[in-house]
Amino acid sequence: MLTIQDIFKSFKHPLTKEREDLINKAYEFATFAHQGQQRKSGDDYIQHSLATAKILAKMGMRSKTITAALLHDVPEDTFVTLKEIEDKFGKEIATMVDGITKLGKIKLRGSQKEYFIENLRKMFLAMAADIRVVIIKLADRLTNMKTLQYLPPEKQQRIANETMIVFVPIANRLGIGEIKGQLEDLSFRYLDPENYIKVKDLIAEEYKGMEKYINLAIRDLKKELENNGIKVIDIYGRSKHIYRLFLKLKRHDMNLSAIYDLMAVRIIVPEISDCYETLGIVHKKYRPMVGRIKDYVSLPKPNGYQSIHTTIFGPEGKILEVQIRTQKMNDEAEFGIAAHWIYGEKEHKRLKKYFTRKKKRIIKELKWVKQLHEWQNEIGSDDEEFLEGLRIDFFKNHIFAFTPKGDIIDLPEESTTVDFAYSIHSDIGNRINGARINGKIVPINYQIKNGDVVEIMFSKEKRKPNRDWLKFVKTSVAKSHIKRELKK
Ligand code: MN
């Protein structure tokens, strides 16, 4: 059972008296309001509020967000009104709580596509108003997913499906990798239990031997780095999220030995320059695998992800993936946009400025949020107008397309099926030999339209991309992969 002390323990900021009082007050108020209510698990309702708050505290969110999280189900589920919350906690917190309540009123209807756009629309609205609302909503969803076993099967399916379609893409867009990974794994468990168990069984044996090996590798790597004067802030093994592993296994005929990053060693160092120095030291000691060095530090992924990945023949000659990054990159990879709250007032101010002022390159990866915000300011909240605005302004430079399974892939406009293939995986890009759009076969230079369901056909054997593709692909990911592959 969680207590409010667990929240304080997870809190990443100096806990002033004022902050502590605010959080305590919210806790007491919520406990009182939810009194007598129980979750389906049999727990007191406040356990759900505490669990949500704890996730946020661990992400580095600040006291007002934690306060709103503790109160998030109060107006929805109790006799207490929003007005009372505003009187007690002020307008800012009440507005956040209201936003969460409104987001909770999402109902499933229409086709998957309509459903997705409808939900996205609500999320975007809330996000543009206050991004903290969406972050709380994600934490709320995660705690609900963790207790899904207590709900009837029908509800489990609906909620897991909604999580995959709506919340996973949003966590991804906000760069909150840690929540995204957990949401995917939990949904996967309910949506495709057969494969979930299959993957779990497949790795159970593998992991046993691996853990020992990882510990050995960590010890050797650490010693080597420290002997070379690198300050290692942290070094640990990380295992791949189950759902991501499943997707990868599917591309390799469920052959586990083709997966090199089942477990990886992650090295956290102080500065960017240390990342490259570390890479050099690691490669000097252990031979790197050709074509497996990925420098996402100088070339971040579209969602802002930064890290250096390399695959080496580690201790005992075994293949091992090593990931090198700074603490800040690590926090940003796990907590995404929320990491900006960790990096103190200065960063917070920077973010605020970023949301309110037109500036060219402040946080490049969050450009779309800014766009959204600007456009939200320009148009009213009228529904018709909203949809029109969504189409014209936001979707202008973005296409949302679907995999046959309903995963959402977003691409710049005029992207082709080849771009789509590369955005799923470089291997699929290289092997593409055809595509179906909404069930119909199209040429691979077909330009994808919003809402298209794209099915990529690819050959089983390794193939090289075609030079001509460079003439029509739009994304830099596709371009760089094609060029790199052709050089080989
Ligand atoms: Mn809730």
Side-chain angles (χ1 to χ4, degrees), residues 218-237:
I218 287 173
R219 213 183 52 214
D220 286 7
L221 281 165
K222 194 173 181 209
K223 209 169 90 194
E224 189 65 23
L225 290 172
E226 284 174 351
N227 287 346
N228 281 279
I230 295 282
K231 186 173 173 251
V232 179
I233 294 179
D234 203 357
I235 179 166
Y236 56 93

Side-chain angles (χ1 to χ4, degrees), residues 395-406:
F395 278 30
K396 189 169 70 183
N397 306 310
H398 278 271
I399 294 160
F400 286 84
F402 299 82
T403 67
K405 276 210 137 183

Side-chain angles (χ1 to χ4, degrees), residues 39 45 48-49 52 69 72-73 77 100 136-137 139-141 143-144:
R39 300 284 291 177
Y45 201 99
H48 166 73
S49 321
T52 305
H72 83 269
D73 279 328
D77 294 334
I100 303 154
I136 296 171
K137 191 67 205 167
D140 174 49
R141 175 52 58 122
T143 59
N144 284 334

Side-chain angles (χ1 to χ4, degrees), residues 205-354:
E205 271 307 300
E206 196 76 15
Y207 271 143
K208 265 189 237 155
M210 226 164 177
E211 227 164 276
K212 234 175 151 184
Y213 176 68
I214 291 282
N215 287 333
L216 171 89
I218 287 173
R219 213 183 52 214
D220 286 7
L221 281 165
K222 194 173 181 209
K223 209 169 90 194
E224 189 65 23
L225 290 172
E226 284 174 351
N227 287 346
N228 281 279
I230 295 282
K231 186 173 173 251
V232 179
I233 294 179
D234 203 357
I235 179 166
Y236 56 93
R238 83 98 185 90
S239 45
K240 209 170 172 62
H241 281 291
I242 304 231
Y243 181 65
R244 288 285 132 192
L245 176 60
F246 169 66
L247 293 182
K248 206 162 187 179
L249 277 166
K250 262 204 325 199
R251 292 195 299 265
H252 293 92
D253 298 324
M254 299 303 276
N255 177 11
L256 201 59
S257 60
I259 314 279
Y260 298 136
D261 63 346
L262 187 57
M263 262 188 141
V265 170
R266 191 169 284 165
I267 305 171
I268 314 287
V269 291
E271 302 292 335
I272 291 176
S273 56
D274 300 316
C275 293
Y276 291 101
E277 212 177 312
T278 298
L279 183 72
I281 294 162
V282 170
H283 282 174
K284 213 174 145 200
K285 174 92 178 167
Y286 302 104
R287 188 161 58 89
M289 225 166 137
V290 178
R292 299 272 317 174
I293 304 162
K294 292 170 202 156
D295 181 1
Y296 299 121
V297 171
S298 45
L299 286 170
K301 283 193 186 182
N303 69 356
Y305 178 84
Q306 284 191 300
S307 188
I308 295 173
H309 294 189
T310 181
T311 306
I312 54 166
F313 296 91
E316 299 174 357
K318 284 189 196 167
I319 294 173
L320 177 70
E321 178 166 310
V322 176
Q323 306 178 343
I324 306 160
R325 51 176 80 164
T326 64
Q327 185 70 56
K328 192 163 181 243
M329 288 174 202
N330 196 45
D331 286 337
E332 279 173 352
E334 283 179 2
F335 307 130
I337 190 168
H340 295 282
W341 277 272
I342 302 178
Y343 289 93
E345 290 297 341
K346 229 165 111 192
E347 192 78 14
H348 191 54
K349 275 199 191 116
R350 196 169 75 119
L351 191 72
K352 258 199 170 159
K353 211 158 81 185
Y354 162 78

Side-chain angles (χ1 to χ4, degrees), residues 77 105 156 183 215 291 303 342 361 380 389 456 461:
D77 294 334
K105 293 194 171 133
Q156 289 175 348
L183 286 177
N215 287 333
N303 69 356
I342 302 178
R361 209 209 78 84
I456 301 294
E461 306 87 58

